[in-house]
Structures are given as C-alpha cells and as structure tokens.
C-alpha cells in the first residue's frame, strides 16, 4: 500500500509526538479521577454546535 506525502507527514508527526510524550516522564501530582471530572464538566458546559 502506497501512502501519499500528507499521510506520511501525519504519521511522522504522530511518531514524534509519541516519543516526546515518552521522554517527558511520568506526571507528578496528577489525579486521574479529578481530571476525568473536569473533562466531564467541560463537555457538559460546552454548547452543542
């Protein structure tokens, strides 16, 4: 399967971002439950377009 340049660019960018995330290390003082609640509130308060 041959990919066009745009797909290759997107794939390279995705790989770069994944590696940056891995190199950044573990998050400190992160509460996943609190973060999930924040996301839910943002979604609830966001008007439907």
């Amino acid at each position: 399967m041959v990919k066009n340049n745009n797909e290759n660019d997107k794939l390279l960018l995705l790989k770069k971002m994944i590696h940056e995330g891995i190199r950044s290390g573990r998050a400190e003082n992160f509460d996943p439950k609190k973060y999930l609640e924040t996301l839910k509130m943002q979604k609830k308060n966001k008007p439907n377009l």
Side-chain angles (χ1 to χ4, degrees):
M1 182 172 149
V2 177
K3 296 180 182 177
N4 65 34
N5 286 338
N6 191 29
E7 290 175 333
N8 285 334
D9 290 345
K10 288 179 182 180
L11 183 59
L12 289 173
L13 179 59
L14 177 60
K15 287 180 179 181
K16 179 181 175 185
M17 299 306 291
I18 289 171
H19 288 291
E20 284 182 20
I22 291 170
R23 284 194 309 263
S24 71
R26 184 174 286 259
E28 294 181 15
N29 300 321
F30 178 72
D31 183 346
K33 290 181 182 178
K34 184 176 180 181
Y35 181 66
L36 181 59
E37 288 302 316
T38 301
L39 291 176
K40 288 179 181 179
M41 289 299 293
Q42 288 175 350
K43 184 176 180 181
K44 182 178 177 182
N45 294 328
K46 186 176 182 180
N48 293 332
L49 298 176

